[in-house]
Amino acid sequence: MLIGEYSVEDYPDYTAILQRIADKYQIPVVTCKDFGHGENGGIIPINISAMLDADNLKLDFKENQTID
């Protein structure tokens, strides 16, 4: 699970709920403030194969990220 900024303000309860879900279903979680609804509005492509390495905090896209 890759979690970006939800808001300019921090919501600890929101983060705690997502962490409990991830722990329950053994889903790796990485948080990143470089995309989402905050100041940094980076784009994460949808429907592109990717590999999330939560131990090394790395997200690698396995396909071309541009539209042909």
Side-chain angles (χ1 to χ4, degrees):
M1 182 184 312
L2 183 60
I3 302 171
E5 272 193 328
Y6 177 72
S7 170
V8 175
E9 297 178 35
D10 286 331
Y11 291 94
D13 292 340
Y14 170 77
T15 304
I17 290 167
L18 292 174
Q19 188 63 55
R20 280 198 313 267
I21 293 167
D23 290 346
K24 180 177 180 177
Y25 295 102
Q26 298 180 342
I27 299 169
V29 175
V30 174
T31 59
C32 175
K33 296 197 179 268
D34 290 337
F35 77 98
H37 297 278
E39 292 179 12
N40 300 319
I43 298 170
I44 301 292
I46 297 173
N47 203 27
I48 299 290
S49 295
M51 175 65 71
L52 175 61
D53 182 347
D55 293 327
N56 293 305
L57 304 177
K58 188 172 183 180
L59 178 65
D60 288 319
F61 295 101
K62 302 298 179 185
E63 299 178 38
N64 188 345
Q65 302 173 42
T66 60
I67 299 173
D68 295 326

Short mmCIF file of all heavy atoms in Angstrom, two decimals:
data_model
loop_
_atom_site.label_atom_id
_atom_site.label_comp_id
_atom_site.label_asym_id
_atom_site.label_seq_id
_atom_site.Cartn_x
_atom_site.Cartn_y
_atom_site.Cartn_z
N MET A 1 0.85 -1.15 0.00
CA MET A 1 0.00 0.00 0.00
C MET A 1 0.90 1.22 0.00
O MET A 1 1.81 1.33 0.82
CB MET A 1 -0.90 -0.01 1.24
CG MET A 1 -1.86 1.13 1.30
SD MET A 1 -2.87 1.20 2.83
CE MET A 1 -3.45 -0.45 3.00
N LEU A 2 0.68 2.11 -0.92
CA LEU A 2 1.42 3.37 -1.00
C LEU A 2 0.48 4.48 -0.58
O LEU A 2 -0.56 4.69 -1.19
CB LEU A 2 1.93 3.58 -2.42
CG LEU A 2 2.78 4.79 -2.68
CD1 LEU A 2 4.05 4.75 -1.83
CD2 LEU A 2 3.15 4.86 -4.16
N ILE A 3 0.83 5.20 0.48
CA ILE A 3 -0.02 6.23 1.03
C ILE A 3 0.63 7.59 0.80
O ILE A 3 1.75 7.83 1.24
CB ILE A 3 -0.26 6.02 2.54
CG1 ILE A 3 -0.87 4.65 2.79
CG2 ILE A 3 -1.13 7.13 3.11
CD1 ILE A 3 -0.94 4.26 4.24
N GLY A 4 -0.08 8.47 0.09
CA GLY A 4 0.41 9.83 -0.13
C GLY A 4 -0.21 10.77 0.87
O GLY A 4 -0.80 10.36 1.86
N GLU A 5 -0.09 12.06 0.60
CA GLU A 5 -0.69 13.06 1.48
C GLU A 5 -2.19 13.09 1.26
O GLU A 5 -2.66 13.23 0.14
CB GLU A 5 -0.11 14.45 1.20
CG GLU A 5 1.12 14.74 1.99
CD GLU A 5 1.49 16.21 1.94
OE1 GLU A 5 1.24 16.87 0.92
OE2 GLU A 5 2.04 16.68 2.93
N TYR A 6 -2.93 12.97 2.33
CA TYR A 6 -4.38 13.02 2.28
C TYR A 6 -4.87 14.46 2.35
O TYR A 6 -5.88 14.82 1.78
CB TYR A 6 -4.96 12.19 3.43
CG TYR A 6 -6.46 12.21 3.51
CD1 TYR A 6 -7.22 11.54 2.58
CD2 TYR A 6 -7.11 12.92 4.51
CE1 TYR A 6 -8.61 11.57 2.64
CE2 TYR A 6 -8.48 12.96 4.59
CZ TYR A 6 -9.23 12.28 3.66
OH TYR A 6 -10.59 12.31 3.72
N SER A 7 -4.13 15.27 3.07
CA SER A 7 -4.53 16.64 3.33
C SER A 7 -3.30 17.43 3.72
O SER A 7 -2.25 16.85 4.03
CB SER A 7 -5.55 16.65 4.46
OG SER A 7 -5.81 17.95 4.91
N VAL A 8 -3.42 18.73 3.76
CA VAL A 8 -2.32 19.56 4.24
C VAL A 8 -2.10 19.30 5.73
O VAL A 8 -0.98 19.30 6.22
CB VAL A 8 -2.60 21.06 3.97
CG1 VAL A 8 -1.54 21.93 4.58
CG2 VAL A 8 -2.72 21.31 2.47
N GLU A 9 -3.17 19.04 6.45
CA GLU A 9 -3.10 18.72 7.88
C GLU A 9 -2.83 17.23 8.06
O GLU A 9 -3.21 16.41 7.23
CB GLU A 9 -4.41 19.08 8.57
CG GLU A 9 -4.75 20.55 8.53
CD GLU A 9 -6.08 20.83 9.19
OE1 GLU A 9 -6.42 20.16 10.18
OE2 GLU A 9 -6.80 21.69 8.69
N ASP A 10 -2.20 16.86 9.16
CA ASP A 10 -1.99 15.45 9.51
C ASP A 10 -3.20 14.92 10.26
O ASP A 10 -3.79 15.62 11.10
CB ASP A 10 -0.75 15.28 10.38
CG ASP A 10 0.54 15.45 9.60
OD1 ASP A 10 0.53 15.16 8.39
OD2 ASP A 10 1.54 15.86 10.20
N TYR A 11 -3.58 13.69 9.96
CA TYR A 11 -4.67 13.02 10.65
C TYR A 11 -4.14 11.68 11.18
O TYR A 11 -4.18 10.67 10.48
CB TYR A 11 -5.85 12.78 9.71
CG TYR A 11 -6.57 14.04 9.31
CD1 TYR A 11 -6.25 14.70 8.14
CD2 TYR A 11 -7.55 14.57 10.13
CE1 TYR A 11 -6.90 15.88 7.78
CE2 TYR A 11 -8.21 15.74 9.78
CZ TYR A 11 -7.88 16.38 8.61
OH TYR A 11 -8.53 17.54 8.27
N PRO A 12 -3.61 11.66 12.41
CA PRO A 12 -3.03 10.44 12.95
C PRO A 12 -4.00 9.26 12.97
O PRO A 12 -3.59 8.12 12.77
CB PRO A 12 -2.61 10.82 14.37
CG PRO A 12 -2.56 12.32 14.38
CD PRO A 12 -3.52 12.78 13.31
N ASP A 13 -5.30 9.51 13.20
CA ASP A 13 -6.27 8.42 13.24
C ASP A 13 -6.38 7.74 11.88
O ASP A 13 -6.49 6.52 11.78
CB ASP A 13 -7.65 8.92 13.67
CG ASP A 13 -7.67 9.36 15.12
OD1 ASP A 13 -6.78 8.95 15.89
OD2 ASP A 13 -8.58 10.13 15.49
N TYR A 14 -6.35 8.53 10.82
CA TYR A 14 -6.41 8.00 9.44
C TYR A 14 -5.23 7.07 9.18
O TYR A 14 -5.39 5.95 8.71
CB TYR A 14 -6.41 9.19 8.48
CG TYR A 14 -6.22 8.84 7.02
CD1 TYR A 14 -7.27 8.32 6.28
CD2 TYR A 14 -5.01 9.05 6.38
CE1 TYR A 14 -7.12 8.01 4.94
CE2 TYR A 14 -4.84 8.76 5.04
CZ TYR A 14 -5.89 8.24 4.33
OH TYR A 14 -5.73 7.93 3.01
N THR A 15 -4.04 7.52 9.54
CA THR A 15 -2.83 6.71 9.34
C THR A 15 -2.89 5.45 10.19
O THR A 15 -2.54 4.37 9.73
CB THR A 15 -1.59 7.54 9.70
OG1 THR A 15 -1.59 8.73 8.91
CG2 THR A 15 -0.32 6.76 9.43
N ALA A 16 -3.35 5.55 11.42
CA ALA A 16 -3.44 4.39 12.31
C ALA A 16 -4.42 3.36 11.77
O ALA A 16 -4.15 2.15 11.84
CB ALA A 16 -3.85 4.84 13.71
N ILE A 17 -5.54 3.79 11.23
CA ILE A 17 -6.53 2.86 10.66
C ILE A 17 -5.93 2.12 9.47
O ILE A 17 -6.04 0.89 9.36
CB ILE A 17 -7.81 3.61 10.25
CG1 ILE A 17 -8.56 4.08 11.49
CG2 ILE A 17 -8.71 2.73 9.37
CD1 ILE A 17 -9.66 5.09 11.20
N LEU A 18 -5.28 2.85 8.57
CA LEU A 18 -4.65 2.19 7.42
C LEU A 18 -3.57 1.22 7.84
O LEU A 18 -3.43 0.13 7.28
CB LEU A 18 -4.07 3.24 6.46
CG LEU A 18 -5.11 4.10 5.74
CD1 LEU A 18 -4.41 5.19 4.94
CD2 LEU A 18 -5.98 3.25 4.84
N GLN A 19 -2.81 1.57 8.88
CA GLN A 19 -1.75 0.67 9.37
C GLN A 19 -2.35 -0.60 9.97
O GLN A 19 -1.83 -1.69 9.75
CB GLN A 19 -0.88 1.39 10.40
CG GLN A 19 0.34 0.59 10.80
CD GLN A 19 1.29 0.34 9.65
OE1 GLN A 19 1.72 1.28 9.01
NE2 GLN A 19 1.59 -0.91 9.36
N ARG A 20 -3.45 -0.47 10.71
CA ARG A 20 -4.10 -1.67 11.28
C ARG A 20 -4.59 -2.61 10.17
O ARG A 20 -4.45 -3.83 10.27
CB ARG A 20 -5.26 -1.27 12.19
CG ARG A 20 -4.82 -0.84 13.56
CD ARG A 20 -5.96 -0.86 14.58
NE ARG A 20 -7.19 -0.24 14.13
CZ ARG A 20 -7.54 1.03 14.33
NH1 ARG A 20 -6.73 1.84 14.99
NH2 ARG A 20 -8.69 1.48 13.91
N ILE A 21 -5.17 -2.05 9.11
CA ILE A 21 -5.64 -2.87 7.99
C ILE A 21 -4.46 -3.56 7.32
O ILE A 21 -4.51 -4.76 7.02
CB ILE A 21 -6.42 -2.00 6.98
CG1 ILE A 21 -7.73 -1.51 7.61
CG2 ILE A 21 -6.69 -2.78 5.69
CD1 ILE A 21 -8.42 -0.41 6.82
N ALA A 22 -3.40 -2.81 7.09
CA ALA A 22 -2.21 -3.38 6.45
C ALA A 22 -1.61 -4.49 7.30
O ALA A 22 -1.22 -5.54 6.79
CB ALA A 22 -1.18 -2.28 6.19
N ASP A 23 -1.54 -4.28 8.61
CA ASP A 23 -1.01 -5.31 9.51
C ASP A 23 -1.88 -6.56 9.50
O ASP A 23 -1.38 -7.68 9.44
CB ASP A 23 -0.90 -4.78 10.94
CG ASP A 23 0.19 -3.73 11.12
OD1 ASP A 23 1.05 -3.59 10.22
OD2 ASP A 23 0.15 -3.03 12.15
N LYS A 24 -3.19 -6.37 9.54
CA LYS A 24 -4.13 -7.51 9.57
C LYS A 24 -3.98 -8.38 8.34
O LYS A 24 -4.02 -9.61 8.42
CB LYS A 24 -5.56 -7.00 9.69
CG LYS A 24 -6.59 -8.11 9.73
CD LYS A 24 -7.99 -7.57 9.91
CE LYS A 24 -9.00 -8.70 9.94
NZ LYS A 24 -10.36 -8.22 10.19
N TYR A 25 -3.82 -7.76 7.17
CA TYR A 25 -3.76 -8.51 5.91
C TYR A 25 -2.33 -8.66 5.37
O TYR A 25 -2.14 -9.09 4.25
CB TYR A 25 -4.66 -7.83 4.87
CG TYR A 25 -6.10 -7.91 5.26
CD1 TYR A 25 -6.75 -6.81 5.81
CD2 TYR A 25 -6.83 -9.08 5.12
CE1 TYR A 25 -8.08 -6.87 6.20
CE2 TYR A 25 -8.15 -9.16 5.51
CZ TYR A 25 -8.77 -8.05 6.05
OH TYR A 25 -10.10 -8.12 6.44
N GLN A 26 -1.35 -8.31 6.21
CA GLN A 26 0.07 -8.43 5.87
C GLN A 26 0.39 -7.75 4.53
O GLN A 26 1.01 -8.32 3.65
CB GLN A 26 0.49 -9.88 5.86
CG GLN A 26 0.33 -10.53 7.22
CD GLN A 26 0.74 -11.98 7.24
OE1 GLN A 26 0.85 -12.63 6.21
NE2 GLN A 26 0.95 -12.50 8.42
N ILE A 27 -0.06 -6.50 4.41
CA ILE A 27 0.19 -5.69 3.22
C ILE A 27 1.34 -4.75 3.54
O ILE A 27 1.29 -4.02 4.53
CB ILE A 27 -1.07 -4.87 2.85
CG1 ILE A 27 -2.24 -5.79 2.56
CG2 ILE A 27 -0.79 -3.95 1.68
CD1 ILE A 27 -3.57 -5.07 2.44
N PRO A 28 2.38 -4.71 2.71
CA PRO A 28 3.45 -3.75 2.96
C PRO A 28 2.96 -2.32 2.76
O PRO A 28 2.12 -2.06 1.90
CB PRO A 28 4.52 -4.10 1.92
CG PRO A 28 3.82 -4.88 0.87
CD PRO A 28 2.62 -5.52 1.52
N VAL A 29 3.47 -1.40 3.57
CA VAL A 29 3.03 -0.01 3.53
C VAL A 29 4.24 0.91 3.40
O VAL A 29 5.23 0.76 4.10
CB VAL A 29 2.25 0.36 4.81
CG1 VAL A 29 1.89 1.83 4.82
CG2 VAL A 29 1.02 -0.49 4.96
N VAL A 30 4.12 1.87 2.50
CA VAL A 30 5.10 2.95 2.37
C VAL A 30 4.33 4.25 2.35
O VAL A 30 3.34 4.37 1.63
CB VAL A 30 5.94 2.81 1.08
CG1 VAL A 30 6.84 4.01 0.88
CG2 VAL A 30 6.74 1.52 1.09
N THR A 31 4.75 5.20 3.16
CA THR A 31 4.14 6.52 3.12
C THR A 31 5.08 7.48 2.41
O THR A 31 6.30 7.36 2.50
CB THR A 31 3.84 7.06 4.53
OG1 THR A 31 5.05 7.14 5.27
CG2 THR A 31 2.84 6.18 5.25
N CYS A 32 4.48 8.40 1.68
CA CYS A 32 5.26 9.31 0.85
C CYS A 32 4.49 10.61 0.69
O CYS A 32 3.31 10.59 0.36
CB CYS A 32 5.49 8.64 -0.51
SG CYS A 32 6.32 9.68 -1.70
N LYS A 33 5.13 11.72 0.92
CA LYS A 33 4.46 13.01 0.79
C LYS A 33 4.68 13.64 -0.58
O LYS A 33 4.40 14.80 -0.79
CB LYS A 33 4.92 13.94 1.89
CG LYS A 33 4.52 13.43 3.27
CD LYS A 33 4.61 14.51 4.30
CE LYS A 33 4.18 13.98 5.64
NZ LYS A 33 2.80 14.16 5.93
N ASP A 34 5.18 12.87 -1.54
CA ASP A 34 5.46 13.39 -2.87
C ASP A 34 4.28 13.29 -3.84
O ASP A 34 4.40 13.65 -5.01
CB ASP A 34 6.67 12.68 -3.50
CG ASP A 34 7.95 13.05 -2.79
OD1 ASP A 34 8.01 14.11 -2.16
OD2 ASP A 34 8.91 12.27 -2.88
N PHE A 35 3.16 12.76 -3.39
CA PHE A 35 1.97 12.74 -4.22
C PHE A 35 0.75 12.78 -3.32
O PHE A 35 0.84 12.56 -2.13
CB PHE A 35 1.92 11.51 -5.14
CG PHE A 35 1.53 10.23 -4.45
CD1 PHE A 35 0.24 9.78 -4.52
CD2 PHE A 35 2.45 9.49 -3.72
CE1 PHE A 35 -0.14 8.61 -3.88
CE2 PHE A 35 2.09 8.33 -3.09
CZ PHE A 35 0.79 7.88 -3.17
N GLY A 36 -0.38 13.09 -3.90
CA GLY A 36 -1.61 13.13 -3.12
C GLY A 36 -2.25 14.50 -3.16
O GLY A 36 -2.15 15.22 -4.15
N HIS A 37 -2.89 14.89 -2.07
CA HIS A 37 -3.68 16.12 -2.01
C HIS A 37 -2.96 17.27 -1.34
O HIS A 37 -3.54 18.32 -1.13
CB HIS A 37 -5.01 15.85 -1.27
CG HIS A 37 -5.86 14.86 -1.97
ND1 HIS A 37 -6.67 15.20 -3.03
CD2 HIS A 37 -6.03 13.53 -1.78
CE1 HIS A 37 -7.31 14.12 -3.45
NE2 HIS A 37 -6.94 13.09 -2.72
N GLY A 38 -1.72 17.11 -0.97
CA GLY A 38 -0.98 18.18 -0.29
C GLY A 38 -0.28 19.09 -1.27
O GLY A 38 -0.71 19.27 -2.41
N GLU A 39 0.82 19.66 -0.84
CA GLU A 39 1.56 20.62 -1.65
C GLU A 39 2.23 19.97 -2.86
O GLU A 39 2.36 20.60 -3.91
CB GLU A 39 2.62 21.31 -0.80
CG GLU A 39 2.03 22.22 0.26
CD GLU A 39 3.09 22.89 1.11
OE1 GLU A 39 4.28 22.84 0.74
OE2 GLU A 39 2.73 23.46 2.14
N ASN A 40 2.70 18.76 -2.72
CA ASN A 40 3.38 18.05 -3.82
C ASN A 40 2.37 17.15 -4.52
O ASN A 40 2.01 16.12 -4.01
CB ASN A 40 4.55 17.22 -3.29
CG ASN A 40 5.57 18.08 -2.58
OD1 ASN A 40 5.89 19.17 -3.06
ND2 ASN A 40 6.07 17.63 -1.46
N GLY A 41 1.94 17.55 -5.70
CA GLY A 41 0.89 16.82 -6.40
C GLY A 41 1.42 15.89 -7.47
O GLY A 41 0.93 15.91 -8.59
N GLY A 42 2.42 15.08 -7.15
CA GLY A 42 2.95 14.12 -8.11
C GLY A 42 1.88 13.13 -8.54
O GLY A 42 0.87 12.93 -7.86
N ILE A 43 2.09 12.50 -9.68
CA ILE A 43 1.10 11.58 -10.25
C ILE A 43 1.62 10.16 -10.19
O ILE A 43 2.77 9.89 -10.56
CB ILE A 43 0.79 11.97 -11.71
CG1 ILE A 43 0.19 13.37 -11.75
CG2 ILE A 43 -0.13 10.96 -12.36
CD1 ILE A 43 0.08 13.94 -13.14
N ILE A 44 0.79 9.26 -9.75
CA ILE A 44 1.07 7.83 -9.79
C ILE A 44 0.17 7.24 -10.86
O ILE A 44 -1.06 7.38 -10.80
CB ILE A 44 0.79 7.15 -8.43
CG1 ILE A 44 1.63 7.76 -7.32
CG2 ILE A 44 1.00 5.66 -8.52
CD1 ILE A 44 3.10 7.51 -7.42
N PRO A 45 0.74 6.61 -11.90
CA PRO A 45 -0.11 6.07 -12.97
C PRO A 45 -1.02 4.95 -12.48
O PRO A 45 -0.66 4.19 -11.59
CB PRO A 45 0.90 5.55 -14.00
CG PRO A 45 2.21 5.54 -13.34
CD PRO A 45 2.15 6.38 -12.12
N ILE A 46 -2.20 4.87 -13.07
CA ILE A 46 -3.18 3.83 -12.74
C ILE A 46 -3.10 2.74 -13.79
O ILE A 46 -2.89 3.01 -14.97
CB ILE A 46 -4.60 4.43 -12.70
CG1 ILE A 46 -4.67 5.48 -11.58
CG2 ILE A 46 -5.66 3.36 -12.49
CD1 ILE A 46 -5.96 6.25 -11.57
N ASN A 47 -3.27 1.49 -13.35
CA ASN A 47 -3.32 0.33 -14.23
C ASN A 47 -1.97 0.05 -14.90
O ASN A 47 -1.91 -0.38 -16.04
CB ASN A 47 -4.43 0.47 -15.28
CG ASN A 47 -4.85 -0.87 -15.82
OD1 ASN A 47 -4.74 -1.89 -15.13
ND2 ASN A 47 -5.34 -0.90 -17.04
N ILE A 48 -0.89 0.31 -14.17
CA ILE A 48 0.46 0.01 -14.62
C ILE A 48 1.06 -0.98 -13.63
O ILE A 48 0.99 -0.76 -12.42
CB ILE A 48 1.34 1.29 -14.66
CG1 ILE A 48 0.77 2.31 -15.63
CG2 ILE A 48 2.78 0.97 -14.99
CD1 ILE A 48 0.88 1.95 -17.08
N SER A 49 1.66 -2.05 -14.13
CA SER A 49 2.31 -3.02 -13.24
C SER A 49 3.49 -2.37 -12.54
O SER A 49 4.27 -1.64 -13.16
CB SER A 49 2.80 -4.23 -14.03
OG SER A 49 1.72 -4.94 -14.57
N ALA A 50 3.59 -2.62 -11.23
CA ALA A 50 4.68 -2.04 -10.45
C ALA A 50 5.06 -3.01 -9.34
O ALA A 50 4.28 -3.90 -8.98
CB ALA A 50 4.25 -0.71 -9.86
N MET A 51 6.26 -2.82 -8.80
CA MET A 51 6.73 -3.62 -7.68
C MET A 51 7.04 -2.67 -6.53
O MET A 51 7.85 -1.74 -6.68
CB MET A 51 7.99 -4.40 -8.06
CG MET A 51 8.60 -5.17 -6.91
SD MET A 51 7.57 -6.49 -6.26
CE MET A 51 7.67 -7.66 -7.59
N LEU A 52 6.38 -2.88 -5.39
CA LEU A 52 6.61 -2.07 -4.21
C LEU A 52 7.52 -2.83 -3.26
O LEU A 52 7.20 -3.93 -2.83
CB LEU A 52 5.28 -1.74 -3.52
CG LEU A 52 5.36 -1.00 -2.20
CD1 LEU A 52 6.02 0.36 -2.38
CD2 LEU A 52 3.98 -0.85 -1.59
N ASP A 53 8.68 -2.26 -2.96
CA ASP A 53 9.63 -2.83 -2.02
C ASP A 53 9.58 -1.99 -0.76
O ASP A 53 10.25 -0.96 -0.66
CB ASP A 53 11.03 -2.84 -2.64
CG ASP A 53 12.07 -3.47 -1.73
OD1 ASP A 53 11.80 -3.68 -0.53
OD2 ASP A 53 13.19 -3.73 -2.23
N ALA A 54 8.74 -2.39 0.20
CA ALA A 54 8.53 -1.60 1.41
C ALA A 54 9.78 -1.58 2.29
O ALA A 54 10.02 -0.61 3.00
CB ALA A 54 7.34 -2.14 2.18
N ASP A 55 10.58 -2.64 2.25
CA ASP A 55 11.80 -2.67 3.07
C ASP A 55 12.80 -1.61 2.63
O ASP A 55 13.48 -1.01 3.45
CB ASP A 55 12.46 -4.05 3.00
CG ASP A 55 11.61 -5.12 3.65
OD1 ASP A 55 10.91 -4.81 4.64
OD2 ASP A 55 11.65 -6.27 3.18
N ASN A 56 12.89 -1.37 1.33
CA ASN A 56 13.84 -0.40 0.79
C ASN A 56 13.17 0.90 0.33
O ASN A 56 13.83 1.74 -0.29
CB ASN A 56 14.60 -1.01 -0.39
CG ASN A 56 15.49 -2.13 0.07
OD1 ASN A 56 16.32 -1.95 0.96
ND2 ASN A 56 15.32 -3.32 -0.49
N LEU A 57 11.86 1.05 0.64
CA LEU A 57 11.10 2.26 0.29
C LEU A 57 11.26 2.61 -1.18
O LEU A 57 11.60 3.73 -1.56
CB LEU A 57 11.54 3.44 1.17
CG LEU A 57 11.45 3.22 2.67
CD1 LEU A 57 11.97 4.43 3.42
CD2 LEU A 57 10.03 2.90 3.09
N LYS A 58 10.98 1.62 -2.03
CA LYS A 58 11.17 1.81 -3.47
C LYS A 58 9.95 1.32 -4.24
O LYS A 58 9.40 0.28 -3.94
CB LYS A 58 12.41 1.04 -3.90
CG LYS A 58 12.85 1.30 -5.30
CD LYS A 58 14.19 0.65 -5.57
CE LYS A 58 14.62 0.99 -6.97
NZ LYS A 58 15.91 0.41 -7.30
N LEU A 59 9.56 2.09 -5.25
CA LEU A 59 8.46 1.71 -6.13
C LEU A 59 9.00 1.71 -7.55
O LEU A 59 9.44 2.75 -8.05
CB LEU A 59 7.30 2.71 -6.01
CG LEU A 59 6.10 2.47 -6.91
CD1 LEU A 59 5.41 1.16 -6.55
CD2 LEU A 59 5.12 3.63 -6.81
N ASP A 60 9.01 0.55 -8.20
CA ASP A 60 9.49 0.41 -9.58
C ASP A 60 8.33 0.07 -10.50
O ASP A 60 7.59 -0.88 -10.25
CB ASP A 60 10.54 -0.72 -9.69
CG ASP A 60 11.86 -0.36 -9.06
OD1 ASP A 60 12.29 0.80 -9.23
OD2 ASP A 60 12.46 -1.23 -8.41
N PHE A 61 8.18 0.85 -11.56
CA PHE A 61 7.16 0.58 -12.56
C PHE A 61 7.70 -0.43 -13.55
O PHE A 61 8.82 -0.31 -14.03
CB PHE A 61 6.72 1.86 -13.26
CG PHE A 61 6.04 2.82 -12.32
CD1 PHE A 61 6.72 3.90 -11.80
CD2 PHE A 61 4.73 2.61 -11.95
CE1 PHE A 61 6.11 4.77 -10.92
CE2 PHE A 61 4.10 3.47 -11.07
CZ PHE A 61 4.79 4.55 -10.55
N LYS A 62 6.91 -1.44 -13.86
CA LYS A 62 7.34 -2.53 -14.73
C LYS A 62 6.89 -2.33 -16.18
O LYS A 62 7.18 -3.15 -17.03
CB LYS A 62 6.80 -3.87 -14.21
CG LYS A 62 7.25 -4.19 -12.80
CD LYS A 62 8.75 -4.30 -12.73
CE LYS A 62 9.22 -4.60 -11.32
NZ LYS A 62 10.67 -4.59 -11.22
N GLU A 63 6.17 -1.26 -16.45
CA GLU A 63 5.69 -0.97 -17.80
C GLU A 63 5.99 0.49 -18.13
O GLU A 63 6.26 1.29 -17.24
CB GLU A 63 4.17 -1.18 -17.89
CG GLU A 63 3.71 -2.58 -17.59
CD GLU A 63 2.20 -2.68 -17.65
OE1 GLU A 63 1.59 -2.04 -18.52
OE2 GLU A 63 1.63 -3.37 -16.80
N ASN A 64 5.85 0.82 -19.41
CA ASN A 64 6.00 2.19 -19.85
C ASN A 64 4.91 3.03 -19.21
O ASN A 64 3.75 2.64 -19.17
CB ASN A 64 5.89 2.24 -21.37
CG ASN A 64 6.22 3.59 -21.95
OD1 ASN A 64 6.27 4.58 -21.22
ND2 ASN A 64 6.44 3.63 -23.23
N GLN A 65 5.26 4.19 -18.71
CA GLN A 65 4.30 5.04 -18.01
C GLN A 65 3.67 6.09 -18.91
O GLN A 65 2.89 6.91 -18.43
CB GLN A 65 5.02 5.75 -16.85
CG GLN A 65 5.63 4.80 -15.87
CD GLN A 65 6.45 5.52 -14.85
OE1 GLN A 65 6.04 6.56 -14.35
NE2 GLN A 65 7.59 5.00 -14.51
N THR A 66 3.94 6.07 -20.16
CA THR A 66 3.36 7.06 -21.07
C THR A 66 2.26 6.44 -21.91
O THR A 66 2.20 5.23 -22.10
CB THR A 66 4.43 7.65 -22.00
OG1 THR A 66 5.00 6.59 -22.77
CG2 THR A 66 5.51 8.36 -21.21
N ILE A 67 1.40 7.28 -22.43
CA ILE A 67 0.32 6.82 -23.30
C ILE A 67 0.83 6.82 -24.72
O ILE A 67 1.38 7.81 -25.20
CB ILE A 67 -0.92 7.75 -23.17
CG1 ILE A 67 -1.43 7.72 -21.74
CG2 ILE A 67 -2.00 7.34 -24.16
CD1 ILE A 67 -2.52 8.73 -21.48
N ASP A 68 0.63 5.72 -25.43
CA ASP A 68 1.05 5.63 -26.83
C ASP A 68 0.02 6.22 -27.75
O ASP A 68 -1.13 6.21 -27.54
CB ASP A 68 1.29 4.17 -27.21
CG ASP A 68 2.47 3.60 -26.41
OD1 ASP A 68 3.41 4.35 -26.12
OD2 ASP A 68 2.43 2.40 -26.10
#
